[in-house]
Amino acid sequence: MPKPKSPPAAAAGTPSRDGYHHGALREALIDAAEAVLAERGVEGFSLREVARRSGVSPAAPAHHFGDAAGLLAAVSSLAFDGLTAALEAGNMRGGDDPVARLREQGVAYVGFALKHPGRFGLMFRCGPHEADAVDSSGRAAFSVLEAGIRGLYGTPADEPLPPLQWQALLAVWSVVHGFAHLALAGQFNAFTPPEGREAMLRATLAPMLDLQLGALRAGAPPPVKRRIRPG
């Protein structure tokens, strides 16, 4: 009897489809999806390309995520979870100073975008990738920024933010989000020192935020004291 032929070897740099266990394949598909998003954006995204880069059949991503929307939702949810962790790490670096905490959140926000451009490009896109898990993860990230604004003004967590404080929150968010997109577009390359982008963020974004946050705190009306009614 002739010897059975060996299966063809996987292409160089491509994992064999038999080499994955369940969890490893899921992570590989997510990593491949992020790479496709970074190169082609949401418009150029396809499950077939994700499968090709992962060295698996075109049906494999659908088996794990249902469809392209399910895979995009998984990537987006993980992205918000990662952003939340980055913002919380910024809080730790800022210590007890509310301005320093928000400044470090801002630096962390842009640093996350530069490190994960594929994920960042997906996170705030409205479309079919929205899901409950994405909404929950997004709210968690937003709550870190909101808590920072509350700390800046001394507003308790159980009280609604006054309009001026909401405006301050949106102003800070807008600055770091816009800065992130400009940096990703290469608009700050000429200002980036040899030490790298982290040094650029420290030399440019950090002092910008210190000025903005100092002005926002100085311009806030004094807190209203609660009157204690006699019993």
Short mmCIF file of all heavy atoms in Angstrom, two decimals, residues 13-37 45-57 60-62 64-65 71-72 74-75 78 119:
data_model
loop_
_atom_site.label_atom_id
_atom_site.label_comp_id
_atom_site.label_asym_id
_atom_site.label_seq_id
_atom_site.Cartn_x
_atom_site.Cartn_y
_atom_site.Cartn_z
N GLY A 13 5.17 31.48 8.94
CA GLY A 13 4.62 32.55 9.77
C GLY A 13 3.14 32.42 10.03
O GLY A 13 2.55 33.26 10.69
N THR A 14 2.48 31.36 9.48
CA THR A 14 1.06 31.16 9.69
C THR A 14 0.84 29.96 10.58
O THR A 14 1.31 28.87 10.27
CB THR A 14 0.33 30.93 8.34
OG1 THR A 14 0.57 32.05 7.51
CG2 THR A 14 -1.16 30.76 8.57
N PRO A 15 0.13 30.08 11.69
CA PRO A 15 -0.08 28.95 12.57
C PRO A 15 -0.88 27.85 11.89
O PRO A 15 -1.76 28.13 11.09
CB PRO A 15 -0.86 29.55 13.76
CG PRO A 15 -0.71 31.02 13.63
CD PRO A 15 -0.51 31.30 12.19
N SER A 16 -0.56 26.62 12.20
CA SER A 16 -1.36 25.51 11.70
C SER A 16 -2.72 25.52 12.36
O SER A 16 -2.84 25.79 13.55
CB SER A 16 -0.65 24.18 12.01
OG SER A 16 -1.53 23.10 11.83
N ARG A 17 -3.76 25.21 11.59
CA ARG A 17 -5.10 25.25 12.17
C ARG A 17 -5.29 24.16 13.22
O ARG A 17 -6.21 24.22 14.03
CB ARG A 17 -6.16 25.12 11.06
CG ARG A 17 -6.18 23.78 10.37
CD ARG A 17 -7.17 23.81 9.21
NE ARG A 17 -6.75 24.78 8.22
CZ ARG A 17 -7.52 25.12 7.17
NH1 ARG A 17 -8.70 24.60 7.04
NH2 ARG A 17 -7.09 25.99 6.29
N ASP A 18 -4.42 23.13 13.19
CA ASP A 18 -4.50 22.09 14.21
C ASP A 18 -3.72 22.46 15.46
O ASP A 18 -3.76 21.74 16.45
CB ASP A 18 -3.96 20.76 13.65
CG ASP A 18 -4.80 20.25 12.49
OD1 ASP A 18 -6.03 20.49 12.52
OD2 ASP A 18 -4.24 19.63 11.58
N GLY A 19 -2.99 23.56 15.42
CA GLY A 19 -2.13 23.93 16.54
C GLY A 19 -2.82 24.77 17.58
O GLY A 19 -2.21 25.15 18.57
N TYR A 20 -4.10 25.09 17.39
CA TYR A 20 -4.82 25.95 18.33
C TYR A 20 -5.69 25.11 19.25
O TYR A 20 -6.29 24.12 18.84
CB TYR A 20 -5.75 26.89 17.58
CG TYR A 20 -5.10 27.99 16.81
CD1 TYR A 20 -5.18 28.02 15.42
CD2 TYR A 20 -4.43 29.02 17.45
CE1 TYR A 20 -4.60 29.06 14.70
CE2 TYR A 20 -3.85 30.06 16.74
CZ TYR A 20 -3.95 30.07 15.36
OH TYR A 20 -3.39 31.09 14.66
N HIS A 21 -5.77 25.52 20.51
CA HIS A 21 -6.89 25.05 21.31
C HIS A 21 -7.91 26.17 21.31
O HIS A 21 -7.67 27.25 20.78
CB HIS A 21 -6.45 24.64 22.72
CG HIS A 21 -5.81 25.73 23.52
ND1 HIS A 21 -6.53 26.76 24.08
CD2 HIS A 21 -4.51 25.96 23.84
CE1 HIS A 21 -5.72 27.57 24.73
NE2 HIS A 21 -4.49 27.12 24.60
N HIS A 22 -9.07 25.93 21.90
CA HIS A 22 -10.21 26.84 21.75
C HIS A 22 -9.86 28.29 22.10
O HIS A 22 -10.09 29.21 21.34
CB HIS A 22 -11.36 26.34 22.62
CG HIS A 22 -12.60 27.16 22.50
ND1 HIS A 22 -13.55 26.93 21.54
CD2 HIS A 22 -13.03 28.22 23.21
CE1 HIS A 22 -14.53 27.81 21.66
NE2 HIS A 22 -14.25 28.60 22.68
N GLY A 23 -9.28 28.48 23.30
CA GLY A 23 -8.98 29.84 23.74
C GLY A 23 -7.92 30.50 22.89
O GLY A 23 -7.99 31.69 22.59
N ALA A 24 -6.90 29.73 22.48
CA ALA A 24 -5.82 30.30 21.69
C ALA A 24 -6.33 30.74 20.33
O ALA A 24 -5.89 31.78 19.80
CB ALA A 24 -4.70 29.28 21.53
N LEU A 25 -7.24 29.99 19.73
CA LEU A 25 -7.77 30.38 18.43
C LEU A 25 -8.59 31.66 18.56
O LEU A 25 -8.49 32.56 17.71
CB LEU A 25 -8.63 29.26 17.85
CG LEU A 25 -9.33 29.59 16.52
CD1 LEU A 25 -8.33 30.08 15.48
CD2 LEU A 25 -10.10 28.38 16.00
N ARG A 26 -9.37 31.76 19.61
CA ARG A 26 -10.17 32.97 19.79
C ARG A 26 -9.26 34.20 19.90
O ARG A 26 -9.53 35.23 19.27
CB ARG A 26 -11.02 32.83 21.06
CG ARG A 26 -12.04 33.95 21.25
CD ARG A 26 -12.90 33.71 22.48
NE ARG A 26 -14.01 34.64 22.53
CZ ARG A 26 -13.95 35.88 22.98
NH1 ARG A 26 -12.79 36.35 23.42
NH2 ARG A 26 -15.01 36.66 22.97
N GLU A 27 -8.19 34.09 20.68
CA GLU A 27 -7.27 35.21 20.82
C GLU A 27 -6.55 35.50 19.51
O GLU A 27 -6.32 36.66 19.16
CB GLU A 27 -6.24 34.91 21.93
CG GLU A 27 -6.84 34.83 23.33
CD GLU A 27 -7.62 36.08 23.68
OE1 GLU A 27 -7.12 37.19 23.43
OE2 GLU A 27 -8.75 35.95 24.20
N ALA A 28 -6.19 34.44 18.77
CA ALA A 28 -5.52 34.65 17.49
C ALA A 28 -6.44 35.37 16.51
O ALA A 28 -5.99 36.24 15.75
CB ALA A 28 -5.08 33.30 16.91
N LEU A 29 -7.72 35.03 16.51
CA LEU A 29 -8.68 35.69 15.62
C LEU A 29 -8.84 37.16 16.00
O LEU A 29 -8.93 38.04 15.13
CB LEU A 29 -10.02 34.98 15.68
CG LEU A 29 -10.06 33.57 15.08
CD1 LEU A 29 -11.37 32.87 15.44
CD2 LEU A 29 -9.87 33.61 13.57
N ILE A 30 -8.86 37.44 17.29
CA ILE A 30 -8.98 38.83 17.74
C ILE A 30 -7.74 39.62 17.34
O ILE A 30 -7.82 40.77 16.87
CB ILE A 30 -9.22 38.88 19.26
CG1 ILE A 30 -10.64 38.39 19.59
CG2 ILE A 30 -9.00 40.29 19.80
CD1 ILE A 30 -10.92 38.27 21.06
N ASP A 31 -6.55 39.03 17.52
CA ASP A 31 -5.31 39.71 17.12
C ASP A 31 -5.29 39.98 15.63
O ASP A 31 -4.88 41.06 15.17
CB ASP A 31 -4.10 38.87 17.52
CG ASP A 31 -3.88 38.82 19.02
OD1 ASP A 31 -4.44 39.68 19.73
OD2 ASP A 31 -3.14 37.93 19.48
N ALA A 32 -5.73 38.98 14.84
CA ALA A 32 -5.76 39.16 13.39
C ALA A 32 -6.77 40.23 13.00
O ALA A 32 -6.52 41.04 12.09
CB ALA A 32 -6.10 37.84 12.71
N ALA A 33 -7.90 40.26 13.69
CA ALA A 33 -8.92 41.27 13.40
C ALA A 33 -8.37 42.66 13.67
O ALA A 33 -8.60 43.60 12.88
CB ALA A 33 -10.16 41.02 14.25
N GLU A 34 -7.63 42.82 14.77
CA GLU A 34 -7.05 44.13 15.08
C GLU A 34 -6.06 44.56 14.01
O GLU A 34 -6.00 45.73 13.62
CB GLU A 34 -6.37 44.10 16.44
CG GLU A 34 -5.80 45.46 16.84
CD GLU A 34 -5.22 45.46 18.24
OE1 GLU A 34 -5.19 44.40 18.87
OE2 GLU A 34 -4.80 46.54 18.68
N ALA A 35 -5.26 43.61 13.51
CA ALA A 35 -4.29 43.94 12.46
C ALA A 35 -5.00 44.38 11.18
O ALA A 35 -4.58 45.35 10.52
CB ALA A 35 -3.40 42.73 12.18
N VAL A 36 -6.08 43.69 10.83
CA VAL A 36 -6.84 44.08 9.63
C VAL A 36 -7.44 45.46 9.81
O VAL A 36 -7.41 46.30 8.90
CB VAL A 36 -7.94 43.04 9.34
CG1 VAL A 36 -8.83 43.52 8.19
CG2 VAL A 36 -7.33 41.68 8.99
N LEU A 37 -7.98 45.73 11.00
CA LEU A 37 -8.58 47.04 11.26
C LEU A 37 -7.53 48.15 11.17
O LEU A 37 -7.80 49.23 10.64
CB LEU A 37 -9.23 47.05 12.64
CG LEU A 37 -10.52 46.24 12.78
CD1 LEU A 37 -10.87 46.05 14.25
CD2 LEU A 37 -11.66 46.92 12.05
N PHE A 45 -12.73 45.56 6.43
CA PHE A 45 -12.69 44.39 7.31
C PHE A 45 -13.48 43.24 6.72
O PHE A 45 -14.56 43.43 6.16
CB PHE A 45 -13.26 44.76 8.68
CG PHE A 45 -13.21 43.65 9.69
CD1 PHE A 45 -12.06 43.43 10.42
CD2 PHE A 45 -14.31 42.84 9.90
CE1 PHE A 45 -12.01 42.42 11.35
CE2 PHE A 45 -14.27 41.83 10.83
CZ PHE A 45 -13.12 41.61 11.56
N SER A 46 -12.96 42.02 6.87
CA SER A 46 -13.70 40.83 6.43
C SER A 46 -13.27 39.63 7.27
O SER A 46 -12.11 39.51 7.66
CB SER A 46 -13.47 40.53 4.95
OG SER A 46 -12.17 40.03 4.73
N LEU A 47 -14.23 38.73 7.52
CA LEU A 47 -13.92 37.50 8.25
C LEU A 47 -12.97 36.62 7.46
O LEU A 47 -12.12 35.93 8.03
CB LEU A 47 -15.21 36.73 8.55
CG LEU A 47 -16.12 37.28 9.64
CD1 LEU A 47 -17.32 36.36 9.83
CD2 LEU A 47 -15.39 37.46 10.95
N ARG A 48 -13.11 36.63 6.15
CA ARG A 48 -12.25 35.80 5.31
C ARG A 48 -10.78 36.19 5.48
O ARG A 48 -9.90 35.34 5.57
CB ARG A 48 -12.67 35.90 3.85
CG ARG A 48 -11.85 35.03 2.89
CD ARG A 48 -12.45 35.04 1.51
NE ARG A 48 -13.76 34.41 1.50
CZ ARG A 48 -13.94 33.09 1.39
NH1 ARG A 48 -12.91 32.28 1.28
NH2 ARG A 48 -15.16 32.60 1.37
N GLU A 49 -10.52 37.51 5.53
CA GLU A 49 -9.14 37.96 5.69
C GLU A 49 -8.62 37.62 7.08
O GLU A 49 -7.46 37.25 7.25
CB GLU A 49 -9.05 39.47 5.45
CG GLU A 49 -7.66 40.06 5.64
CD GLU A 49 -6.60 39.48 4.72
OE1 GLU A 49 -6.96 38.82 3.72
OE2 GLU A 49 -5.40 39.69 4.99
N VAL A 50 -9.47 37.75 8.10
CA VAL A 50 -9.07 37.37 9.45
C VAL A 50 -8.72 35.90 9.50
O VAL A 50 -7.71 35.49 10.10
CB VAL A 50 -10.20 37.70 10.45
CG1 VAL A 50 -9.91 37.10 11.82
CG2 VAL A 50 -10.37 39.21 10.58
N ALA A 51 -9.54 35.06 8.87
CA ALA A 51 -9.28 33.63 8.85
C ALA A 51 -7.98 33.31 8.12
O ALA A 51 -7.18 32.48 8.56
CB ALA A 51 -10.45 32.90 8.19
N ARG A 52 -7.75 33.99 7.00
CA ARG A 52 -6.53 33.74 6.23
C ARG A 52 -5.30 34.05 7.06
O ARG A 52 -4.34 33.27 7.08
CB ARG A 52 -6.54 34.60 4.96
CG ARG A 52 -5.37 34.30 4.01
CD ARG A 52 -5.27 35.35 2.92
NE ARG A 52 -4.81 36.63 3.43
CZ ARG A 52 -3.55 36.92 3.72
NH1 ARG A 52 -2.59 36.01 3.57
NH2 ARG A 52 -3.22 38.11 4.18
N ARG A 53 -5.32 35.16 7.77
CA ARG A 53 -4.16 35.55 8.58
C ARG A 53 -3.96 34.63 9.78
O ARG A 53 -2.85 34.51 10.29
CB ARG A 53 -4.30 37.00 9.05
CG ARG A 53 -4.29 38.00 7.92
CD ARG A 53 -4.28 39.42 8.42
NE ARG A 53 -4.36 40.37 7.32
CZ ARG A 53 -3.86 41.59 7.36
NH1 ARG A 53 -3.22 42.01 8.43
NH2 ARG A 53 -3.99 42.40 6.33
N SER A 54 -5.04 34.00 10.23
CA SER A 54 -4.95 33.10 11.37
C SER A 54 -4.64 31.67 10.96
O SER A 54 -4.42 30.81 11.81
CB SER A 54 -6.26 33.12 12.16
OG SER A 54 -6.57 34.43 12.60
N GLY A 55 -4.65 31.40 9.64
CA GLY A 55 -4.35 30.07 9.16
C GLY A 55 -5.44 29.06 9.42
O GLY A 55 -5.17 27.87 9.63
N VAL A 56 -6.71 29.54 9.42
CA VAL A 56 -7.84 28.64 9.67
C VAL A 56 -8.84 28.77 8.53
O VAL A 56 -8.73 29.64 7.66
CB VAL A 56 -8.52 28.96 11.02
CG1 VAL A 56 -7.55 28.73 12.17
CG2 VAL A 56 -9.02 30.41 11.04
N SER A 57 -9.85 27.92 8.55
CA SER A 57 -10.87 27.94 7.50
C SER A 57 -11.74 29.19 7.65
O SER A 57 -11.87 29.75 8.75
CB SER A 57 -11.74 26.70 7.58
OG SER A 57 -12.58 26.76 8.73
N ALA A 60 -14.17 29.29 10.62
CA ALA A 60 -13.73 29.32 12.01
C ALA A 60 -14.13 30.60 12.75
O ALA A 60 -14.62 30.52 13.89
CB ALA A 60 -12.22 29.11 12.08
N PRO A 61 -13.94 31.80 12.19
CA PRO A 61 -14.37 33.00 12.92
C PRO A 61 -15.86 33.00 13.22
O PRO A 61 -16.28 33.41 14.31
CB PRO A 61 -13.98 34.14 11.98
CG PRO A 61 -12.90 33.58 11.13
CD PRO A 61 -13.24 32.15 10.93
N ALA A 62 -16.66 32.54 12.27
CA ALA A 62 -18.11 32.49 12.49
C ALA A 62 -18.46 31.52 13.61
O ALA A 62 -19.41 31.75 14.37
CB ALA A 62 -18.83 32.11 11.20
N HIS A 64 -16.78 30.98 16.29
CA HIS A 64 -16.48 31.59 17.58
C HIS A 64 -17.29 32.85 17.85
O HIS A 64 -17.63 33.13 19.01
CB HIS A 64 -14.99 31.92 17.66
CG HIS A 64 -14.12 30.72 17.92
ND1 HIS A 64 -13.78 30.32 19.19
CD2 HIS A 64 -13.55 29.84 17.08
CE1 HIS A 64 -13.01 29.24 19.12
NE2 HIS A 64 -12.86 28.94 17.85
N PHE A 65 -17.57 33.62 16.82
CA PHE A 65 -18.17 34.95 17.03
C PHE A 65 -19.51 35.15 16.33
O PHE A 65 -20.12 36.21 16.49
CB PHE A 65 -17.19 36.03 16.56
CG PHE A 65 -15.88 36.00 17.28
CD1 PHE A 65 -14.77 35.40 16.71
CD2 PHE A 65 -15.74 36.52 18.56
CE1 PHE A 65 -13.54 35.36 17.37
CE2 PHE A 65 -14.53 36.49 19.24
CZ PHE A 65 -13.44 35.90 18.64
N LEU A 71 -17.43 39.52 15.95
CA LEU A 71 -15.99 39.65 16.14
C LEU A 71 -15.61 41.09 16.42
O LEU A 71 -14.78 41.38 17.30
CB LEU A 71 -15.25 39.12 14.90
CG LEU A 71 -13.73 39.24 14.90
CD1 LEU A 71 -13.12 38.66 16.17
CD2 LEU A 71 -13.15 38.56 13.67
N LEU A 72 -16.21 42.02 15.70
CA LEU A 72 -15.92 43.43 15.94
C LEU A 72 -16.36 43.85 17.33
O LEU A 72 -15.69 44.66 18.00
CB LEU A 72 -16.61 44.29 14.88
CG LEU A 72 -16.04 44.20 13.46
CD1 LEU A 72 -16.91 44.96 12.48
CD2 LEU A 72 -14.61 44.73 13.42
N ALA A 74 -16.39 41.93 19.96
CA ALA A 74 -15.40 41.39 20.90
C ALA A 74 -14.16 42.27 20.94
O ALA A 74 -13.62 42.55 22.01
CB ALA A 74 -15.04 39.96 20.51
N VAL A 75 -13.69 42.70 19.77
CA VAL A 75 -12.51 43.56 19.71
C VAL A 75 -12.79 44.90 20.40
O VAL A 75 -11.97 45.41 21.17
CB VAL A 75 -12.07 43.79 18.25
CG1 VAL A 75 -10.92 44.79 18.18
CG2 VAL A 75 -11.65 42.48 17.60
N LEU A 78 -12.96 44.51 24.26
CA LEU A 78 -11.61 44.38 24.81
C LEU A 78 -10.87 45.71 24.77
O LEU A 78 -10.09 46.03 25.68
CB LEU A 78 -10.83 43.33 24.03
CG LEU A 78 -11.18 41.87 24.32
CD1 LEU A 78 -10.44 40.96 23.34
CD2 LEU A 78 -10.83 41.50 25.74
N ARG A 119 -7.71 48.92 17.39
CA ARG A 119 -8.79 48.92 18.38
C ARG A 119 -9.38 50.32 18.56
O ARG A 119 -10.59 50.49 18.63
CB ARG A 119 -8.28 48.39 19.72
CG ARG A 119 -7.86 46.93 19.68
CD ARG A 119 -7.48 46.41 21.06
NE ARG A 119 -7.00 45.04 20.97
CZ ARG A 119 -6.77 44.26 22.02
NH1 ARG A 119 -6.96 44.75 23.24
NH2 ARG A 119 -6.34 43.03 21.86
#
